[in-house]
Amino acid sequence: MTTLQRAEAAEHALSQELDRVVVKSVLFTSGERDPRQPVTRPPDDGRLYMMGHDPRLPWMPDKPTLFDFFRLRFGPSAHLLQSARLAMKNGVDEKIVLACLLHDIAIAGFIRSDHGYWSAQLLEPYVDEEVAWGIRYHQALRFFPDESVGYRYPELYLKLFGADYVPEPHIQAAYRYARDHKWYMTSRLITVNDLYSFDPTVQVQLEEFTDVVGRHFRQPKEGLGFDQSPSAHMWRTINWPTRYL
Ligand SMILES: [Fe+2]
Ligand SMILES: [Fe+2]
């Protein structure tokens, strides 16, 4: 290949990347459209389908870290940062500070519904079992007061779900199970520090937690998504949410 041909080939590859056909996952649009209907897709006109980095998204490093996901794929994380700072201020164990920093990451970057479970599953290979357990059950515990630690039913939930909302039986069952578990207080402390009316004027930087994350989060050397862990595929999907397969 001559230099000119090589340049043309590179330009062609780039324009193809920018011109890939993107087909949304059923889950991305379910409700906005009837999931039983065939997914509508633009005419491909011979174009290739999205199979990697989506040029509309910021580039992730080849070996992404937890903080790369915070910076490049998650929505605003003031709630997580302020909860972690409150936990630190309250003098809880560092593992619980980490749990507070990560407790809602499914909401921040993946799936909102059943976020405690998704968050725990994303994190399980990289944190203490107790941390992941606490994160899984904080979702259910949020609906149930515990006077012994001063935790009351969140006023925010009254506004969000109405005064007559009653947690469904599977949530009540999860609560009963968690209440009698040896790690109950780990999960409960997440709810105690779960700052739902956080102060928009307070800025907390991710770097405040570099050491806590360094000590308690086992960052894989291959990068999150590329380490063959049981949740690596979930991190890859956050990285490349529009891949065709
Ligand atoms: Fe939560
Ligand atoms: Fe939260």
Side-chain angles (χ1 to χ4, degrees):
M1 253 200 244
T2 67
T3 312
L4 180 62
Q5 281 170 329
R6 258 202 301 275
E8 276 172 356
E11 198 174 298
H12 180 67
L14 181 69
S15 70
Q16 277 200 326
E17 172 93 345
L18 290 167
D19 199 30
R20 298 244 172 184
V21 181
V22 173
V23 179
K24 284 184 184 168
S25 296
V26 170
L27 194 62
F28 290 4
T29 55
S30 188
E32 281 160 22
R33 50 177 297 283
D34 185 338
R36 297 168 301 177
Q37 297 304 313
V39 173
T40 49
R41 52 180 75 187
D44 60 30
D45 299 323
R47 289 179 301 157
L48 297 172
Y49 282 75
M50 178 56 65
M51 278 302 278
H53 172 74
D54 186 327
R56 297 170 301 179
L57 290 165
W59 273 98
M60 289 282 276
D62 292 339
K63 297 176 179 177
T65 64
L66 179 65
F67 282 6
D68 289 327
F69 276 91
F70 265 88
R71 293 193 188 100
L72 301 171
R73 287 294 180 274
F74 291 178
S77 45
H79 166 64
L80 292 173
L81 294 168
Q82 292 197 19
S83 295
R85 182 189 265 182
L86 178 64
M88 217 173 220
K89 201 176 103 196
N90 285 335
V92 299
D93 189 281
E94 263 195 0
K95 279 194 293 189
I96 296 184
V97 174
L98 181 82
C100 289
L101 181 67
L102 302 176
H103 74 283
D104 285 339
I105 59 160
I107 292 179
F110 192 50
I111 296 173
R112 186 172 256 291
S113 172
D114 266 313
H115 73 285
Y117 296 82
W118 288 119
S119 298
Q121 219 171 342
L122 276 161
L123 296 164
E124 239 150 17
Y126 314 108
V127 299
D128 269 21
E129 204 184 339
E130 183 179 350
V131 168
W133 191 94
I135 290 174
R136 174 171 279 112
Y137 288 99
H138 93 275
Q139 181 190 326
L141 294 193
R142 288 281 266 138
F143 293 106
F144 299 90
D146 182 343
E147 298 297 338
S148 78
V149 287
Y151 180 79
R152 296 165 63 192
Y153 186 81
E155 263 170 55
L156 178 72
Y157 282 12
L158 293 174
K159 281 201 204 110
L160 290 176
F161 313 126
D164 55 356
Y165 170 73
V166 177
E168 293 80 354
H170 71 278
I171 297 175
Q172 301 202 26
Y175 164 65
R176 284 194 301 272
Y177 167 74
R179 192 186 51 191
D180 297 331
H181 196 280
K182 64 177 173 180
W183 289 333
Y184 167 72
M185 205 36 83
T186 304
S187 196
R188 176 52 79 194
L189 283 173
I190 297 174
T191 70
V192 167
N193 293 288
D194 204 334
L195 253 191
Y196 59 90
S197 55
F198 62 87
D199 184 346
T201 63
V202 175
Q203 292 291 320
V204 188
Q205 301 304 318
L206 204 48
E207 287 70 24
E208 276 186 38
F209 305 100
T210 302
D211 291 347
V212 172
V213 168
R215 280 192 284 273
H216 301 285
F217 184 86
R218 294 184 288 274
Q219 171 66 43
K221 64 178 188 317
E222 302 88 344
L224 284 168
F226 305 106
D227 55 325
Q228 306 293 329
S229 84
S231 69
H233 61 289
M234 295 163 70
W235 293 94
R236 281 200 304 276
T237 298
I238 298 173
N239 188 343
W240 295 325
T242 50
R243 273 180 71 106
Y244 191 74
L245 296 177

